[in-house]
Amino acid sequence: MKLLLLTALTMVAFAANSVLNRAGVAGQGMDPLAFGVIRLASGAAALAAIVLWQRRGFALGGVGRGVAVVALLAYIFGFSVAYRGLDAGLGALLLFGVVQVTMFGGALFAREEIPTTRWVGAAVALAGLIMLLWPSGSVRVPVGAALAMGIAGLGWGVYSLQGRRESDATQATAMNFILAAPLALMVWLAQGAGGEFAVAGVALAVVSGVITSGLGYALWYAILPNLGAARAGVAQLSVPVIAMAGGMIFLAEPVTWRFVGSASLVIAGVLISMRRV
């Protein structure tokens, strides 16, 4: 039960990132790269303060740290760019659909045992995604934004797979953010460092960086070893449902019966996969 509750709390944090990013980039007109830089920098500052307070120390972590940092950057920037053209719920569906495929691939590569319930749950959840994204007049997916979210999903999947190997979740997350933040700043400066800096947009980026990203990702790294790659991949498909509700409540985004039906399938798939074997 404790693992289920912690997983649910983490999924809420992930969904909040979709709503905050959409609100900052599309709602407040923030440059997506600038939003990503502020998100990383504020998260790095908060996590560094926690590590110092707890006297955990800082460790580079070798090649694995480099993989995590590159994956984090791919996720952060792809995520921000994609939300210029995607609603919060649809963006989360695309993101975690790719994440699930990536993490199942990682589980198979690592020869992790995947029970039948996980396969069934994954199939049901993916059916929900296909139901939503099947071409029709009511749901249109911008190609460029979808591609950016696909890159973000691949980055997050790799980042999560790497997290299973970390023994100290808080320290690992702090180092990932601390190393990624200056690289993100250099990318933004190389692109001209333009865009709007609305006060509300900056505030949304800071909240996303400190709370729903920094602390949320540290919690994610802490529970990943107990979830396993396959179950973690399916669990994250609950995020679009939560993001959809957040988009409806805070961003006045429309909801259709097709979206409700697909969300119901995703929830069913997650619940099936989370069953104890």
Side-chain angles (χ1 to χ4, degrees):
M1 179 61 74
K2 180 180 178 181
L3 179 61
L4 181 61
L5 291 175
L6 290 176
T7 302
L9 178 61
T10 309
M11 297 306 104
V12 170
F14 291 172
N17 276 327
S18 291
V19 176
L20 291 168
N21 211 122
R22 174 68 176 168
V25 173
Q28 298 297 324
M30 281 280 292
D31 175 74
L33 297 187
F35 191 96
V37 170
I38 296 171
R39 182 180 172 188
L40 278 171
S42 58
L47 287 165
I50 292 173
V51 170
L52 288 171
W53 178 62
Q54 296 179 340
R55 299 181 179 178
R56 293 174 182 264
F58 298 94
L60 288 178
V63 176
R65 180 74 64 237
V67 171
V69 168
V70 171
L72 180 60
L73 286 170
Y75 159 71
I76 288 288
F77 281 147
F79 191 80
S80 292
V81 170
Y83 272 122
R84 286 188 298 187
L86 297 173
D87 287 347
L90 178 56
L93 274 170
L94 285 169
L95 174 71
F96 289 106
V98 175
V99 168
Q100 178 175 262
V101 172
T102 303
M103 296 196 71
F104 258 77
L108 292 173
F109 182 78
R111 297 184 179 179
E112 178 182 310
E113 183 179 353
I114 304 177
T116 302
T117 52
R118 305 271 157 76
W119 287 109
V120 173
V124 172
L126 281 175
L129 290 177
I130 293 171
M131 175 181 173
L132 178 75
L133 299 176
W134 196 264
S136 77
S138 60
V139 179
R140 296 181 181 179
V141 183
V143 176
L147 180 59
M149 193 60 87
I151 293 172
L154 179 61
W156 182 253
V158 172
Y159 185 81
S160 296
L161 289 170
Q162 178 61 32
R164 298 185 305 154
R165 301 174 182 152
E166 299 290 354
S167 58
D168 188 328
T170 303
Q171 182 198 65
T173 308
M175 287 306 303
N176 291 340
F177 271 68
I178 290 168
L179 294 173
L183 295 176
L185 178 61
M186 286 189 286
V187 171
W188 179 56
L189 292 174
Q191 294 297 315
E196 296 292 330
F197 277 91
V199 174
V202 172
L204 290 169
V206 171
V207 171
S208 177
V210 174
I211 300 175
T212 56
S213 294
L215 300 181
Y217 296 177
L219 177 58
W220 181 235
Y221 263 24
I223 64 177
L224 267 172
N226 294 320
L227 282 176
R231 189 160 56 164
V234 180
Q236 291 179 91
L237 286 177
S238 63
V239 175
V241 180
I242 304 169
M244 175 186 69
M248 292 169 57
I249 296 170
F250 298 108
L251 305 178
E253 292 179 352
V255 62
T256 65
W257 284 113
R258 182 178 181 180
F259 209 126
V260 171
S262 70
S264 299
L265 285 174
V266 169
I267 291 173
V270 171
L271 291 176
I272 292 170
S273 74
M274 291 294 287
R275 289 182 59 194
R276 288 185 178 273
V277 180

